[in-house]
Structure formats: C-alpha cells, structure tokens
Amino acid sequence: MEQALKRLQEEIRACRACVERGYPATPPPVVGLGTRARILLVGQAPGGMESDSRLPFSGPAGKRLFTWLERAGFDPERIREEIYFSALTRCYPGKNARGSGDRRPSREERALCTPFLAREFALIDPKLILLVGQMAIEHFLGKMPLTQAVGAEFEEEDRFYIPLPHPSGASTWLNSPENRDRLEHAIRLIRWHRTHLIPSKR
Ligand code: SF4
C-alpha cells in the first residue's frame, strides 16, 4: 500500500489538469506525508501558505486544526504520520472575488481532482475519516447544515466519519457558544475513536 500511495502522490504532484483547462488553480499540488496512516483527513483545498510549503494545513488554519487534534489525543510530533491529510483539490485556488478569503474550488475543478482522493481512500482504507469544512462534509455525507454535522458521527460500511468546521480564522461559525460545544463534542468523538478503533503506534 505504501509504495502504491507514494506512486500516486508523484502522479498528483505532476498534475496540471486544471491549468491546462484554463481554471485558476495554482500548482504545485500539495499532498500529505503519512503514507502509513490509517486515519484520513479531508479538507477543501490548500491555502497560499500550504502552496509555498507544500505541506497541507501548514498555515494559521492548520495551527488551529492541530490544537483540536492534540486535544483529541494526537501527539503533535506524530500527527502527520498518524493522519493522512488529503483534500478535494490540491492546488491553491487563489483569493475569492471579494478578497476576503480563498476561492472555493469550482465543481469542475473538484470533478478533475477528487478521483485522486478516491484512489487515496481505496489505498489507505481508513476506518476513521475526519471531514474538515462544509465542502468536504458535503462530498462524503451529502448536504447538511454544519450545526447538524459537527458533533455527530456517521457510520457507513464499518467506517466512521466525523465532521469538523473549517479552522480558518475567516469563519465566524465558532463565535457561537453552541457551535463551540458542538466542536468539543466532535473532539471527544475523535478521541474515543482514536483510542478504541485505531491501534496505537506509540
Ligand atoms: S487541483 Fe487537482 S486536478 Fe487540478 S491541477 Fe491541481 S492536482 Fe490537478
């Protein structure tokens, strides 16, 4: 599995399908590191900092996400080994028209890129999948409000899906105390699954 995943990563890094079709995504594609991970995390798309560092969730949103994961029991030094970081699209989409945040990758860009995610999913065969943000949640679980998704777990074919809000500072969703409670519940769920379903590598 590990070698096949590394080959797939090389294929993703070489992809320029969006650019060739005139979509405004900016390579290089960003891929995860944890080729032995059994937990999959799926975000929306890399940000500008991730595009520069070529490391998923290496910007301010990633810092916030990592504090959640640490509270869910992950060793900060090993998070990128224990979790495989993936996304719906792998190239920086650029700023949105208002300049207030990053552009959401279009349906067409997602259609081009998500087959990579499907292949990663098949190789990793994860039992726990963390879905970060509305777009990733919708891709796997269908349309639903964040208030319904975050704090709940969804089981399908012996796999558990746990939604999280997007950790971007631009999101105001966590300003509400009720939503912060939902996030706390999600963190407890992740902690439980990590302990009970995923064999410890420590
Ligand atoms: S976003 Fe995905 S499909 Fe589009 S160029 Fe980047 S890697 Fe290829």
Side-chain angles (χ1 to χ4, degrees), residues 15-18 29 89-91 112-113:
C15 179
R16 299 292 182 270
C18 289
T89 65
R90 314 308 172 93
C91 293
L112 282 173
C113 209

Side-chain angles (χ1 to χ4, degrees), residues 167-183:
S168 158
S171 165
T172 55
W173 193 80
L174 283 169
N175 291 351
S176 140
E178 291 81 12
N179 290 343
R180 286 200 295 275
D181 286 347
R182 291 185 173 97
L183 172 63

Side-chain angles (χ1 to χ4, degrees), residues 6 10 15 34 61-62 65 78-79 81 83 89 93 95 97 145 158 165:
K6 284 181 177 168
E10 285 312 306
C15 179
L65 174 67
R78 301 193 58 187
I79 288 178
E81 289 170 42
I83 300 175
T89 65
K95 290 285 177 201
D158 285 337

Side-chain angles (χ1 to χ4, degrees), residues 143-154 163 173 179 182:
K143 235 184 169 74
M144 71 177 81
L146 264 188
T147 48
Q148 185 184 330
V150 177
E153 63 182 7
F154 300 81
W173 193 80
N179 290 343
R182 291 185 173 97

Side-chain angles (χ1 to χ4, degrees), residues 11-20 23 25-30 88-92 109-114 116:
E11 200 182 317
I12 298 171
R13 285 192 186 101
C15 179
R16 299 292 182 270
C18 289
V19 179
E20 286 160 9
Y23 300 127
T26 308
V30 178
L88 300 181
T89 65
R90 314 308 172 93
C91 293
Y92 177 47
E109 288 163 291
R110 282 180 275 144
L112 282 173
C113 209
T114 49
F116 288 137

